[in-house]
Amino acid sequence: MNKKWLAFTDQVKAHYQMDFVPLHEPTFNGKELEYVTDCIQTGWVSSVGAYVNRFEEDLARFTGVRRAVAVVNGTAALHIALKLVGVQAHEEVFMPALTFVATANAVSYLGAVPHFVDVSEKTLGLDPQKLEAHILAIGEVKNNQLINKKTGRVIRAVVPMHTFGHAVELEELQVICEKYHLILVEDAAESLGTYYKGKQTGSFGKVSAISFNGNKIMTTGGGGAILTDDEALADYAKHITTTAKVPHRWEFEHDEVAFNYRLPNINAALGCAQLEKMPEFIEQKRALTAFYEELVAPLEGVTLFKEPTNSFSNYWLQTLIIDDTLVRDDVLAFLNDHGVMSRPIWTPLHKLKPYRDCPRADLSTIERLNKKIINIPSTPIKEG
Ligand SMILES: *Cc1c(COP(=O)(O)O)cnc(C)c1O
């Protein structure tokens, strides 16, 4: 690490006008206080209220899907999304080994088994070529179902994840899904506002999941949403995320074992205000990419990760890729020591204790990339 890196950290701190720049902070400069205050003044802070409906409608309009169902967090959204498409206990679900643990946990909640596939260097998300090669090696189609010949289990779905807001190759994945009877469920937790070939991520899956956790591009405090074009599935999602209560003026009739996954009205109020700011956030995130591009250019052994072909990315987290001349932990130590918070990528899921024994494909790209990815401060700010 040398003077050039020192110049890098100095310029980042100057840009943010901070001595220690955090990785990502929420930005509240819209109508957040107004809407939340309205909830408190009217008493509508909890399980029902006008902001929930409004947030769902605004979100459906923004993402270009027919329906959005707001839930308590992104993990719950994934859980319900997988349940809606019919993932059953003892079935398998393909997903990248490089994702947040929630993707695998949601599969486990249904008694199903994650099946890990490699990522592409171009997108940092699920690699369609490697997926198909793996299917050809271990799969067999019987009675319109894909069976894992090694485990005997049905492989029901594929859950791609749009890493740091960069869209995976969705069209290629759609073709594979058609061909091998797999259902596409997008983990779009990180990619609200990202477009693939002019259509938003989260609108390609039969059902998709978004997160509004505090560190995401927009936040509801904690929250998530299920997206789908299928009205019947959306109605069912609403029903089972709100305890499966049969509407009645006073009777407590619940027609199945269900979940209390609803998003409180006060969180939805925050969401309505944040959603109004999304175009601005995306613009600022993309301007930040241009800023970093200039800053990174003089540094040796490192490149800024740019949006893949076909992706118009929200650039949720800015990403550095280092080469073999640098040691990741040295870079992390230097940046954090010099006031620029930075972080490695998640431990690949096949290395985590609960998921060590899950079926997996060749994961050589992840094994190689794992020690090369660094996220740097990404809070959207006004330029200049
Ligand atoms: C944030 C995130 C989730 C889960 O969202 P929560 O709201 O924290 O439950 C799921 N998948 C990915 C890839 C995420 O980044």
Side-chain angles (χ1 to χ4, degrees), residues 72-78 98-104 161-164 187-191 209-216 221-224 316 346:
V72 74
N73 58 47
T75 310
L78 276 168
L98 201 64
T99 179
F100 180 55
V101 68
T103 322
M161 193 279 286
H162 308 290
T163 309
F164 309 141
D187 180 344
E190 305 183 353
S191 64
I210 300 182
S211 167
F212 304 114
N213 190 32
N215 62 345
K216 295 297 185 338
W316 169 55
W346 316 278

Side-chain angles (χ1 to χ4, degrees), residues 221-237:
I226 298 156
L227 304 181
T228 183
D229 280 329
D230 187 319
E231 298 275 357
L233 280 186
D235 288 340
Y236 184 58

Side-chain angles (χ1 to χ4, degrees), residues 204-263:
F204 289 82
K206 185 173 168 72
V207 185
S208 302
I210 300 182
S211 167
F212 304 114
N213 190 32
N215 62 345
K216 295 297 185 338
I217 189 164
M218 62 157 272
T219 186
T220 57
I226 298 156
L227 304 181
T228 183
D229 280 329
D230 187 319
E231 298 275 357
L233 280 186
D235 288 340
Y236 184 58
K238 192 75 191 173
H239 188 61
I240 60 170
T241 54
T242 55
T243 70
K245 186 174 183 297
V246 180
H248 190 278
R249 283 168 67 200
W250 52 78
E251 294 293 352
F252 284 95
E253 179 74 27
H254 303 264
D255 62 4
E256 67 176 286
V257 177
F259 306 89
N260 178 13
Y261 276 176
R262 67 175 101 227
L263 185 72

